[in-house]
Amino acid sequence: MSFKPADFIQDIQNFGEFGGVNPSISDSATYTFLAAKTMQDTFEGHTEGCYLYSRHASPSTLYLGDALAKMEGTESALVAGSGMGAITSVILQLCKANDHIVSSRTIYGGTYAFMKNFLPRLDINTSFVDITSLEKVEAAINSKTKMIYCETISNPLLEVANLPALSKLAEKYNIPLVVDNTFSPLMVSSSHLGATITIHSLTKFINGTNDTIGGVVCGKKEFIDSLRNVNDGAAMLLGPVMDSLRAAQILKNMRSLALRMRKHSDNALYLAEQFQKDGLSVVYPGLENHKGHELLKSMLNESYGFGGLLTLELESLEKANELMELMQNRNIGYLAVSLGFYKTLFSASGASTSSEIPEEEQKEMGLSKGLIRFSIGLDDDIVRTYKSMKACMQEAGIL
Ligand SMILES: *Cc1c(COP(=O)(O)O)cnc(C)c1O
C-alpha cells in the first residue's frame, strides 16, 4: 500500500509566533475581536481563522487536529478531551431518539456501556453483532440504523474488522461507517479503507506517555464543523475539550509515533512467537494462525508491523492474577489498564476494561476470565524481557 502517514507528520512545518520551531501555545480561554461585526460573523460561523472561545477551538487544539487529520488522510479533525468524549460526541451528533446503531460486540468497555446502558435512555438502541460476519452485520441493519460502528482491531479479543467490506455495506445502506482506530495508528489508515469517520483515543499509542487523556474525531470538514457548531454541535455543547497545554504536548509526542509503533510491533511479534513455541495460548494478529492475519496484512500500511497488543489465555483468573503480580514484582511491567506505554502493561480484561460486558455475553464472544491483555512496551532488549517473563511463568507453574 502506498499511503505513508508518517511522511505527513514529518512534513508538518510550523513557525511559532516568535519563530519558534514549535507552535506557540495559546494560553487563553477567550479571544478579542478588533471589530464587533467580526464577532457576530464568527458566531454565525462565517469567519475562518477567527478564534472565539476555547471550547469551540484554540490554536493549539487546531494544530493537533490538523496533524491528526494529515495522519489519517481526512479533510479535518476535532480534538476532544478524551477518547470517550470523541466517541460520545460522534454518536450523539449522528443519532436522535428512535434511531438504531449496528455495533461490533467486541469493543472498548466504555463504548459498550454507553451504547448498552446510556443510549437507551435517549431511545437510541444498539444491536451488537459479530463484526467478522458480514452477513450478521447486514442482517442487523434496519430502516432506523444510523451507523455501523467497529474497532479496526478489537479490544480485547484482537479481532480484525474488514473495513473495505464494511464500508461497501455502509454505502449500500447509505449510512456512515464509524471506526475506532485506537489500537492501530499509522498501521491502518481506516479512512483510506472506507471509514466515514475515524476516532482515536489519544491516551494510548498516539500520546504514548500515559500522562494525559485525549481523543480525536477525523472526517470530512462538513461533519467536523457540525460537531463544533455553536447551535447544535455535540462537541461544542457537551464540551469535551482538551486544554491547549496538553494539545501542544501530544503534538510533540506524535513525532516519534512511527518509531514507537515499529518497536511495539517488533517486540510484540517476538514475544508472541516465543510464547507460541512454548505452547502457550497466545493471540496476536501477526501470527499466521490468527483468524484475521491475512485480512489485517491486506489493510496494513507498510513497516509498522501488527501492533503492540497480544493476549494470553490462562486457565483461570486466579492464575492470571498470580502471574501479573509476579511480573510486576519482577519489574517486567505494570499491572495496569491502558496501552501504548514504554513499559509493558497487563490486565485481566474480563475483570477490568471489559467488566461492563455481562459475564454471559463475555462467554459468548469468547472472552475467558483468565485472559490477560498485554500492551508490549518499548523494551530495548526484548530477549532479556522474554527470559524474565518465562521465569515468572515457570514459577507460577504455567510453563
Ligand atoms: C481507551 C480506549 C477508548 C477510550 O478512550 P479514553 O481516552 O480513555 O476516553 C476508546 N476505545 C479504545 C479502543 C480504547 O482503547
Side-chain angles (χ1 to χ4, degrees), residues 347-396:
S347 54
S349 297
S352 61
T353 50
S354 293
S355 59
E356 294 94 336
I357 303 171
E359 222 175 294
E360 233 356 82
E361 287 172 47
Q362 289 195 20
K363 213 183 265 170
E364 208 183 294
M365 63 177 69
L367 205 177
S368 73
K369 284 190 172 311
L371 183 107
I372 305 179
R373 183 188 76 187
F374 287 80
S375 165
I376 305 302
L378 299 171
D379 313 36
D380 189 47
D381 184 352
I382 197 65
V383 178
R384 180 182 80 133
T385 305
Y386 168 65
K387 283 180 187 153
S388 314
M389 280 184 166
K390 191 161 178 174
C392 291
M393 288 176 191
Q394 281 162 337
E395 199 171 323

Side-chain angles (χ1 to χ4, degrees), residues 88-381:
T88 53
S89 294
V90 166
I91 293 173
L92 293 174
Q93 191 69 21
L94 292 174
C95 296
K96 56 180 190 330
N98 214 18
D99 283 346
H100 173 253
I101 297 168
V102 173
S103 171
S104 164
R105 62 182 184 180
T106 55
I107 50 171
Y108 180 69
T111 312
Y112 179 86
F114 183 68
M115 290 177 177
K116 175 97 177 177
N117 307 325
F118 195 101
L119 287 179
R121 291 195 216 164
L122 307 175
D123 223 351
I124 299 166
N125 292 294
T126 306
S127 301
F128 294 98
V129 297
D130 174 357
I131 201 74
T132 63
S133 162
L134 291 171
E135 295 76 39
K136 286 186 182 149
V137 175
E138 182 159 18
I141 297 173
N142 64 45
S143 60
K144 294 177 176 172
T145 308
K146 288 288 145 54
M147 73 173 83
I148 300 175
Y149 185 96
C150 69
E151 296 175 5
T152 309
I153 302 176
S154 78
N155 181 41
L157 293 175
L158 311 181
E159 288 174 346
V160 180
N162 188 337
L163 299 184
L166 287 166
S167 140
K168 278 207 194 91
L169 202 54
E171 223 167 87
K172 178 170 162 190
Y173 291 92
N174 202 19
I175 50 177
L177 172 64
V178 179
V179 176
D180 179 337
N181 200 23
T182 300
F183 278 24
S184 44
L186 296 180
M187 292 165 49
V188 175
S189 296
S190 38
S191 295
H192 270 244
L193 298 172
T196 322
I197 294 161
T198 295
I199 299 172
H200 283 278
S201 164
L202 303 177
T203 315
K204 314 298 168 54
F205 290 107
I206 293 179
N207 183 51
T209 42
N210 254 298
D211 47 3
T212 188
I213 301 282
V216 71
V217 183
C218 302
K220 284 222 161 28
K221 184 172 182 307
E222 192 185 349
F223 179 69
I224 299 301
D225 286 348
S226 78
L227 284 171
R228 53 174 156 239
N229 186 294
V230 294
N231 294 308
D232 60 3
M236 181 65 186
L237 300 177
L238 297 169
V241 270
M242 176 181 284
D243 182 71
S244 291
L245 286 166
R246 286 303 193 184
Q249 172 209 317
I250 297 171
L251 179 64
K252 287 179 270 193
N253 283 2
M254 266 183 81
R255 297 164 185 166
S256 62
L257 182 60
L259 289 170
R260 289 186 281 114
M261 287 312 293
R262 286 198 188 98
K263 191 65 177 167
H264 284 301
S265 289
D266 285 352
N267 283 351
L269 179 64
Y270 175 80
L271 290 178
E273 284 172 349
Q274 298 308 314
F275 292 158
Q276 192 174 42
K277 278 185 211 153
D278 291 334
L280 293 167
S281 177
V282 54
V283 171
Y284 181 64
L287 294 176
E288 269 168 37
N289 71 0
H290 187 278
K291 264 213 284 200
H293 176 73
E294 285 303 324
L295 171 61
L296 182 57
K297 216 164 137 180
S298 73
M299 299 198 301
L300 285 179
N301 293 319
E302 235 170 88
S303 86
Y304 303 106
F306 290 84
L309 276 299
L310 62 84
T311 67
L312 268 188
E313 199 173 311
L314 302 188
E315 66 198 40
S316 65
L317 179 60
E318 290 69 37
K319 257 300 162 226
N321 288 344
E322 184 186 342
L323 178 66
M324 291 192 296
E325 285 172 11
L326 198 54
M327 287 191 299
Q328 177 160 258
N329 290 338
R330 299 288 151 77
N331 199 9
I332 289 166
Y334 293 121
L335 202 181
V337 299
S338 199
L339 40 126
F341 198 38
Y342 84 108
K343 265 198 195 266
T344 293
L345 304 178
F346 33 80
S347 54
S349 297
S352 61
T353 50
S354 293
S355 59
E356 294 94 336
I357 303 171
E359 222 175 294
E360 233 356 82
E361 287 172 47
Q362 289 195 20
K363 213 183 265 170
E364 208 183 294
M365 63 177 69
L367 205 177
S368 73
K369 284 190 172 311
L371 183 107
I372 305 179
R373 183 188 76 187
F374 287 80
S375 165
I376 305 302
L378 299 171
D379 313 36
D380 189 47
D381 184 352

Side-chain angles (χ1 to χ4, degrees), residues 46-100:
H46 298 316
T47 26
E48 282 282 323
C50 266
Y51 295 99
L52 177 67
Y53 185 63
S54 286
R55 174 154 41 78
H56 187 248
S58 82
S60 300
T61 56
L62 287 192
Y63 278 124
L64 177 60
D66 192 39
L68 288 158
K70 287 195 165 101
M71 180 182 94
E72 284 299 334
T74 58
E75 285 176 11
S76 189
L78 177 124
V79 167
S82 69
M84 284 308 297
I87 292 164
T88 53
S89 294
V90 166
I91 293 173
L92 293 174
Q93 191 69 21
L94 292 174
C95 296
K96 56 180 190 330
N98 214 18
D99 283 346
H100 173 253

